[in-house]
Structure formats: C-alpha cells, structure tokens
Amino acid sequence: MTAGPAWWQRGAIYQIYPRSFADSDGDGVGDLPGITGRLDHIEALGAEAIWLSPFYRSPMADFGYDVADYRDVDPVFGTLADFDALLGAAHARGIRVVVDWVPNHSSDQHEWFRESRSSRDSPRRDWYVWHDGDGAGGPPNDWMSEFPAVGRAWSLDEATGQWYLHSFMAEQPDLNWDNPEVEAAMHDTLRFWLDRGVDGFRVDALQRLAHDPLLRSNAGAARRRDQDWETMHDRLRGIRRVTDEYEDRMLVGEVAIDDLHRVVTFLNDGDQLHLAHNFVFADLPWSAEAFALSIADFEALASGVAWPAWFLGNHDMPRVATRFDGGTGLGPARARAALLLLYTLRGTPFVFQGEELGLPDAEIPADRVVDVDGRDPERAPVPWRPPSAAGPGAGFTTGEPWLPIVGAAEALNAETQAADPASTLSLTRRLAALRRATPALQLGAQRALRLAEDVLAWERSADGDRLVAAVNFAAAPVALAAVDGLPGRAALVVSTDPARAGGDVALADLALGPAEGVLLRL
Ligand code: GLC
C-alpha cells in the first residue's frame, strides 16, 4: 500500500437488500428507483460503497438468489435503465456500487437449465451437475442442502431419470464449474456488469463453487467433499483475472466456512479475493474474550496478505439488536456498541441496511412467513418515516409491504432518528465521519489492549495520532482498572451512551456502563 487506502478500505460498505429498502411504485416491494431516491441517506452515512443484493430476473424462489437472467433487471425492481441511473447517481456522489454475483447456481427457470434438463443429449446437459442415483432409488451421494428445510442437495428429474445437484433450493440448480464453457459464460456475466461500470462484486456462496468431481459422499472423509475443493483457487484466480481487466474493481467473497485457516486461503497472494466476509466473527457470542480471540486469530493468520472485512449482520442472520440481547434488554445498546466496533477496528466494516437504525428483527406472523430458511425477520422493510405520519407503510411503501414493518417503526424510523442527536442513526453518522477524517482509523496500526475483564479494547495509531476504543461486553458497569502503557488522561471523542459527557477524562476513573463503547484520543 503506497499512497492512501483503496476505496474499499477507507470506509463502510453498506448492504442494500433491494426488496426491503424503498418502494417507489407502491407494489409493496422495494426497487432500484427507490434506492436512487434514498441516496441522500446513504451519502449522509458516509458510505464508501453500496452492495446491492440481487436485482436480476428471477422467479424469486430465494428472493433473487435464483437468477433466471444474469444480464437483466427483474421487472419488480425496474429496468436496466433504472440500474444505469442508480449507478450514475451513486457515482456522482462518490459512492461506489458493488453488485451481488451468484455464480454457483442459477434458477431452474434459466434457459440454460431448461435446455440442460430437456434431455440427456442436450448440448447443455453438462452445464449442470447431473448423475444417476445410487441404484437403490436414492440420490448419488449424501450431500445436503445448505437449507435444513430442503434436506438432500439432489432432486430427481423424472423425465430423464437423473438427479441434479442443488446446494440450496431445488429451484437453484448448481452450475457445473468443472465445465470450461460454464466458466467462460459466467466470466462474461461479470464483464457485462463491469462494462456498465460497477465497482465490484460480492460473490455469493463462493465456497460452493468447487466440489469433488467424483461426487463422493462426505461421510468418512476428513474434509467435506461438497465444497471448498482444491480446484477452488484456480477458479477464483480466473474470476480475479476478469475483474483485473478493469481498473480499481473489488471482489468480496461470501466464504461461509467456519475455519479461519481455510477462509484465509481465499485471500492469499493478492490474486484471489480482496476481502472475505468473516463468518467466524459474525457467528460469535457476545463475549469480549471471544471477540478478542477472533480478531487476534485473523490478524495472526492473515497479516500481510489480507485486509479484514468485519460484519455482524446481513440478510441471512438475525439482527444484532435481537441476537445480542440474550434476555438482558441490552440488545439496542449492544447494537450501538457493535457499530463503534465495526467502524473503528482495522478493516472494512460492512453494515446491513437498518443496522444504522439499530433495528431489531421484525415479528413475522405464521401466515406471513415467505422464506424457506427463517430469514424474514431481518429482511423486514426499512421504516423511513413514522407510521403515524406516513401511514402503515412507514414511508417504505404506499402499498401493502411484502413483509411486515418492524413494530418499533414509530421510534426507530430514519426521519425521527435523523432529528435526534442521541439516536443510533446520529451515532452511526458520527462514527462514519470520524473514520473518514482520521487516518489512524483507516490504515492505522492496531494493538489489542487489556483494560478490564469483559472489556474489549484496542489502540489505533498513525503519525502520532493515538486512539483507544473500548467496549464493555458485561451487563454491569466495569471500571477500567489496569491501564496498560497508556497516559493518564484522554479526550473522550465518542460514547455509544448519549448521556455520557465528552471532553477530558482520567482513564483510571473511567467506568463503562453496561454495553457502553467509547472512543478516546490519547
Ligand atoms: C447466500 C445468500 C443467501 C442465499 C444463498 C443462496 O448465502 O446470502 O441469501 O440464499 O447464498 O444463493
């Protein structure tokens, strides 16, 4: 790294789940013009980039992660012209645009799959993973879908008498990446969006892109055979070569593997991923000890070869404010502390829409459940305005929202929070602005500190500027007893507790409230 940070290191990347962000036409589903209409919010958040979950043509079995045409926008989200308008408007504000790329599987309605399934002799038969059954009426092997409700990762096609692989839903057949024609066709889908001007890709379910070509069962194997196979890395280098045909583009991978040693192999050598989502970190319990170990592990394994990417929420996991509540009632405060952590750790923060509002999961009545894997609560629409003023759609839609609006919308909507300096939204804006103005928080060095039991603390420094962040994970106040190698006094720059006064503090007198996070300048 010579000059300044790369754009994807500088500030947060904000994840938009288009169905639930903003609906411009009243059909109850968010769309691309809705996003364009809300760029003020994203700009005020100081986001470096937005990552858009899929908006491609799709029958929506998995709400867009089942792509029927990689080169077009689904009518529910708008048109290609709407996409170009969003891209242009974002770029005009200096906001980069990262799109989701779903290379492992298409929709079963994609023309490639229709042709593939039409007969055993179809020239596209080998574009997907077909195999005879086990001879006893069962599938070829013991591989399971990522979704427990789906069960086996194989479905029988009655007409041709063979089974096809689907690592997710049956409506999402796995493409056969062992076939070079498939690889080339998928590379072309990257070029299609790169030519339009996108700044990068979030690569969906990357670990699934390479499996044992002999389709042997997992049982008895030392390592799973249905993912992360040795062919993975050449395949990923091929993808990287395509993005490197264009200037300054970025690849972030969804590497959903719970072993950091393996995750880091996707990042090595500068010719694979720029960033990998760290699921080990995202799946941690709310424990200072666990967080400290996980951060240290990543630093130890990856230092020198990889830049960290931190996230605690996305469209696939319960929201931070709910998940970390643990019956303490501290969920909202912990969600604020989590934001301080994300914005001040060394690495790129990924923030999921609504996290800046501290949204909890929505209650989904049984008759409104639509997702196969229980992910509706975190996908509830963003409340933009108080329902008392904007109607039951909370400024998200004038129609009937596709998922219920979160119960706390009256207090937690964006408009109300923007007017309140004590709100989570105001805190997030302050953290983003600080990071933007502070080189030490961008590329600065990081050192773990041990300030007290249950307190996660670290120092960031660059060019003589030294900052300390500390988060109290306990449900009770904690005094910072051992102040290891630090000066006696510091300036309190930010606290996640709006009641805490800023200014000069004596470190030895500082007691952090339950779930309080602070940023101090030494
Ligand atoms: C990824 C996506 C998830 C989707 C799955 C299949 O895990 O984040 O939403 O269901 O891949 O594409």
Side-chain angles (χ1 to χ4, degrees):
M1 213 57 51
T2 43
W7 63 264
W8 45 268
Q9 295 179 304
R10 208 154 39 212
I13 298 182
Y14 181 79
Q15 182 193 352
I16 293 180
Y17 190 73
R19 292 186 74 83
S20 301
F21 192 67
D23 173 23
S24 72
D25 60 7
D27 67 356
V29 176
D31 46 46
L32 298 180
I35 300 171
T36 308
R38 290 287 178 188
L39 286 176
D40 280 349
H41 176 81
I42 294 159
E43 190 174 0
L45 268 181
E48 279 298 327
I50 51 178
W51 145 31
L52 302 171
S53 277
F55 48 79
Y56 315 108
R57 266 189 195 272
S58 167
M60 305 290 168
D62 191 15
F63 299 106
Y65 283 94
D66 48 325
V67 179
D69 183 346
Y70 288 95
R71 299 159 184 253
D72 203 1
V73 173
D74 193 275
V76 81
F77 296 126
T79 62
L80 272 174
D82 292 328
F83 177 80
D84 292 339
L86 168 57
L87 186 71
H91 282 171
R93 295 174 188 245
I95 300 167
R96 306 289 210 290
V97 177
V98 173
V99 299
D100 219 308
W101 183 56
V102 190
N104 177 68
H105 44 269
S106 72
S107 160
D108 63 345
Q109 301 305 311
H110 195 294
E111 62 173 22
W112 295 342
F113 188 71
R114 291 180 195 247
E115 287 172 32
S116 182
R117 106 183 288 171
S118 67
S119 94
R120 291 194 186 206
D121 304 325
S122 159
R124 290 220 206 270
R125 185 65 167 181
D126 194 41
W127 278 46
Y128 292 82
V129 185
W130 290 98
H131 206 273
D132 295 333
D134 64 359
N141 66 25
D142 67 0
W143 296 358
M144 301 298 289
S145 160
E146 198 81 42
F147 300 137
V150 172
R152 297 275 184 191
W154 296 95
S155 287
L156 178 64
D157 177 61
E158 304 275 350
T160 59
Q162 283 191 310
W163 300 73
Y164 67 90
L165 178 67
H166 50 84
S167 299
F168 295 87
M169 297 172 80
E171 292 87 342
Q172 295 167 292
D174 281 35
L175 284 153
N176 179 16
W177 274 76
D178 290 326
N179 179 344
E181 286 178 31
V182 169
E183 185 166 21
M186 289 307 290
H187 284 179
D188 282 343
T189 67
L190 289 170
R191 291 192 187 93
F192 177 84
W193 294 101
L194 289 163
D195 285 337
R196 289 196 108 79
V198 305
D199 300 285
F201 299 96
R202 177 266 190 180
V203 184
D204 183 74
L206 178 56
Q207 77 284 352
R208 291 285 188 166
L209 220 56
H211 57 241
D212 179 3
L214 301 177
L215 304 179
R216 288 169 294 182
S217 281
N218 282 327
R223 219 172 91 194
R224 282 172 67 161
R225 291 172 169 143
D226 58 346
Q227 64 175 28
D228 189 21
W229 197 248
E230 58 214 13
T231 39
M232 184 72 236
H233 300 284
D234 279 340
R235 216 154 269 179
L236 181 51
R237 287 187 188 96
I239 293 165
R240 174 63 180 264
R241 274 195 300 276
V242 175
T243 46
D244 282 353
E245 290 165 12
Y246 300 75
E247 220 180 301
D248 207 18
R249 312 299 162 101
M250 185 275 290
L251 283 177
V252 54
E254 182 196 31
V255 186
I257 295 179
D258 58 12
D259 175 355
L260 266 189
H261 290 84
R262 300 293 322 150
V263 174
V264 167
T265 65
F266 287 68
L267 287 157
N268 275 347
D269 303 328
D271 61 355
Q272 298 187 63
L273 293 174
H274 298 89
L275 299 171
H277 282 145
N278 179 343
F279 282 82
V280 179
F281 183 77
D283 289 337
L284 293 174
W286 185 251
S287 144
E289 183 78 18
F291 273 65
L293 282 174
S294 179
I295 293 163
D297 264 5
F298 187 87
E299 296 271 313
L301 287 172
S303 79
V305 291
W307 182 250
W310 306 113
F311 78 102
L312 289 168
N314 66 20
H315 62 297
D316 293 331
M317 56 202 292
R319 284 191 174 274
V320 171
T322 300
R323 198 166 87 234
F324 290 142
D325 188 82
T328 59
L330 289 171
R334 288 179 174 171
R336 294 165 70 99
L339 285 161
L340 182 129
L341 196 135
L342 291 171
Y343 278 92
T344 62
L345 277 176
R346 180 177 170 277
T348 300
F350 280 75
V351 175
F352 176 47
Q353 68 183 39
E355 233 170 298
E356 78 280 23
L357 304 174
L359 294 186
D361 285 344
E363 300 267 353
I364 310 292
D367 64 340
R368 297 288 301 270
V369 168
V370 290
D371 180 50
V372 67
D373 199 35
R375 299 167 295 181
D376 298 323
E378 60 266 28
R379 297 176 176 181
V382 172
W384 291 101
R385 305 190 54 219
S388 59
F396 163 72
T397 183
T398 54
E400 174 68 22
W402 75 287
L403 281 175
I405 302 281
V406 63
E410 190 65 24
L412 295 186
N413 70 83
E415 184 180 283
T416 301
Q417 291 204 40
D420 174 6
S423 70
T424 302
L425 177 58
S426 297
L427 170 71
T428 313
R429 288 178 176 176
R430 218 171 311 133
L431 289 167
L434 256 169
R435 180 175 169 122
R436 180 167 278 236
T438 312
L441 292 180
Q442 296 174 12
L443 292 187
Q446 177 163 294
R447 177 169 78 103
L449 298 173
R450 184 106 183 113
L451 300 185
E453 185 96 13
D454 289 330
V455 171
L456 178 72
W458 63 100
E459 179 179 341
R460 302 293 313 276
S461 57
D463 302 325
D465 191 22
R466 296 175 68 193
L467 294 123
V468 166
V471 173
N472 176 11
F473 278 65
V478 173
L480 302 188
V483 184
D484 150 3
L486 302 180
R489 306 195 73 84
L492 192 127
V493 185
V494 172
S495 166
T496 60
D497 175 359
R500 158 105 47 199
D504 186 58
V505 291
L507 287 180
D509 294 343
L510 195 61
L512 299 185
E516 187 183 9
V518 292
L519 185 66
L520 304 153
R521 180 167 263 127
L522 303 183

